[in-house]
Amino acid sequence: MKVLYVFRSLAVWGGIERILVEKMNYLSQVYGYDVYMLTSDQGNHPIPYHLDDNVHFEDLNIRFHQQYQYSFFRRLWVARTLKRKYEKCLSERICQIKPDIIICTTADHIDSLGKLKGSIPLVVESHSICIRTIEDGHCWLRRKWHRYHYMKALSEVDVLVALTEGDAVEWRKVHPHVVVIPNLLHLNDGAVSTLGNKRVIWVGRFDYQKRPMQMIRIWEKIYPLHPDWQLDIYGEGEQRQELENKARSLGMNIVIHQPTEDIFECYRESSILVSTSLFEPFGLVIPEAMSCGLPVVAYDCPYGPASLILDGENGFLIKCGNMKAFANKVSLLMDNLKLRKKMGSAGALTSKNYDSGRIMPLWIDLFAQLLNR
């Protein structure tokens, strides 16, 4: 079986990048598939996660980001030129590889793949929620234009894979073939946290979706009552400098960390995970932290947290934007080691549902159905 993945790049410490690498490694190592990855914008950037030597990786060196250095009309011409170059290179590689299945994400060039794939089944993984994908752009005219072209491209997709049932309900309104396959996880295989360290952990990109600054505002409510606790924030992104400046000015035991390969050790040294996302297609860090025995406090945003957290059992779900309620639940866990252990144990059991041995067979079944069709 030849499986071709198409993605923009594997250059950043991100959830999508980590999941794609884990899946490609698993298909290659466990099932012996011939796995290929074509990127458009990798350049000279190293891959931050370990990619199996048997996975064929190639960057087409299109560098779509070049267009943004130009003014509007010049940018349109450069974008068109780069897209033509991309489609030419992509077409050549598809003809050479002759994959049985092609897989891309909602963010990648579905329109180009739809034109070039021929009779090869095309699978799209939704790593964003439906409404955010389809209604892209702040200007109504841009949104209308984007929706029209995206829906046209989506008509060439054989199957769309959503990460949660909540998101699948929305996707089924615009596509006839939607299945739910959650993200697989590389779960903790060591000891769990003792939950005795007075440390709260937040993990994610420093951007508008993950909202790390929201967590700092919540921490301002928590810290006066628990000055002996520390907030550790791990990640990278456009808001780093703003976060560092804010943490420094407050002086409230807030530490901003670089991303790390050994995030599980960081979970094990912590006692509570917090998540402040505006939306989450899945919420990778939640079950990862649960596998280390941590209770979780998260905003009940669309759609991931509610599919992972049973409110009051393995964590707490908070109405989006209610910082006071969020702070109260974190404080409740800080004050009650017994409750932390009870919820942490329940979370560890929940995380086992997302082990690769349970998730990857769902992909194998999907491949078989597509090829038989």
Side-chain angles (χ1 to χ4, degrees):
M1 170 84 77
K2 287 185 180 180
V3 179
L4 170 61
Y5 282 86
V6 178
F7 194 53
R8 54 185 180 268
S9 77
L10 297 173
V12 301
W13 295 88
I16 299 176
E17 289 78 6
R18 181 145 53 100
I19 287 298
L20 290 177
V21 168
E22 291 279 353
K23 282 194 285 196
M24 290 189 293
N25 288 345
Y26 199 93
L27 291 173
S28 174
Q29 295 169 357
V30 177
Y31 291 102
Y33 282 15
D34 209 2
V35 182
Y36 294 78
M37 164 61 85
L38 294 179
T39 57
S40 57
D41 291 75
Q42 186 76 20
N44 296 320
H45 298 286
I47 300 173
Y49 306 107
H50 172 70
L51 187 64
D52 189 77
D53 291 338
N54 292 323
V55 175
H56 310 280
F57 176 83
E58 180 184 350
D59 181 50
L60 299 179
N61 196 32
I62 306 302
R63 300 195 298 166
F64 281 102
H65 60 273
Q66 295 176 90
Q67 62 186 286
Y68 297 108
Q69 63 183 297
Y70 301 105
S71 59
F72 179 74
F73 292 106
R74 171 76 169 172
R75 185 190 308 169
L76 292 177
W77 183 84
V78 171
R80 183 178 177 84
T81 301
L82 291 173
K83 186 169 184 177
R84 285 177 174 174
K85 178 184 176 183
Y86 176 70
E87 291 184 352
K88 181 177 182 296
C89 294
L90 186 60
S91 178
E92 290 173 353
R93 297 303 291 126
I94 290 175
C95 289
Q96 292 167 358
I97 294 169
K98 294 182 174 60
D100 298 296
I101 303 281
I102 299 175
I103 305 174
C104 71
T105 76
T106 41
D108 289 320
H109 308 280
I110 300 174
D111 56 342
S112 297
L113 286 166
K115 288 189 291 185
L116 301 174
K117 74 183 187 69
S119 61
I120 302 170
L122 174 60
V123 179
V124 170
E125 300 182 19
S126 174
H127 286 278
S128 181
I129 62 174
C130 179
I131 188 65
R132 289 273 172 173
T133 303
I134 293 176
E135 304 293 343
D136 184 45
H138 299 291
C139 168
W140 72 269
L141 188 60
R142 174 182 167 83
R143 287 199 304 271
K144 189 173 182 179
W145 180 90
H146 174 83
R147 182 184 178 92
Y148 170 77
H149 286 277
Y150 190 85
M151 294 298 291
K152 184 178 178 181
L154 202 60
S155 67
E156 299 297 325
V157 173
D158 293 89
V159 173
L160 191 139
V161 177
L163 301 179
T164 65
E165 186 57 43
D167 197 30
V169 169
E170 299 302 316
W171 278 114
R172 289 184 182 117
K173 297 175 183 178
V174 297
H175 197 277
H177 304 295
V178 179
V179 299
V180 178
I181 303 181
N183 277 332
L184 85 162
L185 298 176
H186 178 66
L187 298 174
N188 171 47
D189 56 5
V192 298
S193 170
T194 65
L195 304 182
N197 293 335
K198 296 184 176 182
R199 299 178 71 171
V200 175
I201 185 171
W202 183 104
V203 181
R205 292 187 312 277
F206 297 162
D207 65 9
Y208 80 99
Q209 178 196 343
K210 304 296 184 178
R211 300 196 295 182
M213 189 60 72
Q214 179 95 174
M215 189 59 229
I216 289 183
R217 295 192 184 101
I218 293 169
W219 191 254
E220 289 184 75
K221 301 177 183 298
I222 295 171
Y223 181 77
L225 302 175
H226 303 275
D228 51 342
W229 280 72
Q230 176 172 307
L231 173 62
D232 294 298
I233 296 178
Y234 286 85
E236 189 55 89
E238 60 199 32
Q239 297 179 6
R240 168 169 283 279
Q241 192 60 57
E242 181 185 4
L243 287 167
E244 290 178 343
N245 293 342
K246 185 68 172 179
R248 192 181 304 112
S249 68
L250 289 175
M252 292 183 173
N253 285 355
I254 303 170
V255 183
I256 312 295
H257 302 267
Q258 291 288 342
T260 174
E261 289 187 32
D262 197 4
I263 191 62
F264 287 99
E265 184 59 31
C266 301
Y267 292 138
R268 287 190 288 264
E269 292 175 355
S270 306
S271 295
I272 303 167
L273 174 83
V274 286
S275 174
T276 51
S277 295
L278 179 64
F279 62 94
E280 276 292 354
F282 183 71
L284 190 65
V285 301
I286 293 175
E288 283 184 347
M290 284 179 171
S291 75
C292 295
L294 269 61
V296 180
V297 181
Y299 278 139
D300 187 12
C301 63
Y303 289 98
S307 70
L308 299 162
I309 298 172
L310 297 173
D311 188 42
E313 294 188 26
N314 54 14
F316 292 112
L317 287 169
I318 310 298
K319 183 179 179 180
C320 283
N322 193 334
M323 293 189 289
K324 181 178 180 180
F326 200 114
N328 288 342
K329 293 302 185 183
V330 174
S331 294
L332 176 63
L333 287 168
M334 287 174 163
D335 290 330
N336 194 327
L337 176 60
K338 184 177 179 180
L339 180 61
R340 294 202 298 273
K341 289 185 174 180
K342 177 184 176 182
M343 287 189 165
S345 296
L349 292 175
T350 300
S351 70
K352 295 183 185 300
N353 294 327
Y354 304 97
D355 179 75
S356 55
R358 294 191 180 189
I359 300 301
M360 290 309 294
L362 301 178
W363 279 101
I364 304 306
D365 289 345
L366 175 60
F367 295 162
Q369 291 171 23
L370 286 169
L371 295 179
N372 288 337
R373 185 188 303 174

